[in-house]
DNA sequence: CCGTATCCTTAGAGATACTG
DNA sequence: CAGTATCTCTAAGGATACGG
């Protein structure tokens, strides 16, 4: 049994799954792997997310020690988000997921002209 | 843009996430990586899942071409589930998630005596 | 043994408006 | 710019009972 972030898990894979088991967190991590970002930059890049949801997800990721939140005392406000070491260590997982997804699409999907990888779940 | 299983995705990572983005599917895949299993065996090994939910999740995975369902015409019924090639290719992803989880727990969690890896999300 | 059929409860997330 | 505060909707999943 593992105890992390006030939850209990019986497997370390569950621990990992818990980090991004929703519609948005993996996308946020992906965009921060690229470079540190301000709130607004993230909101622009993940443009389907609402401001409220982005705020909630950033807080969750901060609480889980995946991202850092740095506030600059200035007007207008500036807040920069970056990955922690633990967050950056997620890259291999993302890479594998990317690779698997490519193979899966080749086998079962159709590809239409793309713009950019944005990582979110498909609309249900 | 990708079109798979009647959904649209703008990134192949999203495609992968969609496969196991709930509380149970990853656990089912994990148990089938070990060996093919009957319905009852899965239900015993993932003992917190309800029969109904297991049924639903198995159907979803079958529809997504991750598992095969083989029915033996006998009484009492026998149904065996196994991974497809695509399902088996998920192993590296699982392995990386396992590795990451171990590191994360070392850094932020507590470990208490364990029984066996069961993969499910922690109770919310 | 391997499921279906209902009913029910919750949490995730969208829409919208407001604030230091 | 970077958030809060409400309100609402929906779908995932649990409990329970029944069926081939």
């Amino acid at each position: 049994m593992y105890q992390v972030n006030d939850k209990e898990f019986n497997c370390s894979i569950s621990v990992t799954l818990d980090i991004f088991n929703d519609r948005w967190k993996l996308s946020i991590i992906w965009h921060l792997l690229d470079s540190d970002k301000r709130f607004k930059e993230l909101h622009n890049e993940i443009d389907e997310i609402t401001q409220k949801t982005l705020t909630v997800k950033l807080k969750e990721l901060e609480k889980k020690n995946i991202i850092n939140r740095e506030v600059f005392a200035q007007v207008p406000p500036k807040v920069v988000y970056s990955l922690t070491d633990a967050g950056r260590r997620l890259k291999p997982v993302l890479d594998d997921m990317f690779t698997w997804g490519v193979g899966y699409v080749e086998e079962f999907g159709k590809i239409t002209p793309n713009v950019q990888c944005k990582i979110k779940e498909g609309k249900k």
Side-chain angles (χ1 to χ4, degrees), chain A residues 56-82:
Chain A
V56 170
K57 294 304 158 185
L58 287 169
K59 275 189 180 165
E60 288 176 11
L61 285 169
E62 193 193 357
K63 199 171 176 188
K64 289 168 194 283
N65 300 292
I66 303 301
I67 64 173
N68 301 121
R69 181 174 184 272
E70 191 181 3
V71 183
F72 294 81
Q74 61 182 52
V75 179
K78 178 179 173 181
V79 179
V80 172
Y81 293 92
S82 57

Side-chain angles (χ1 to χ4, degrees), chain A residues 3 35-36 46 51-52 59 63 67 82 84 102 118:
Chain A
Q3 281 218 338
S35 70
D36 300 353
I46 313 173
Q51 205 170 26
K52 179 203 131 189
K59 275 189 180 165
K63 199 171 176 188
I67 64 173
S82 57
T84 61
V102 170
K118 298 201 173 179

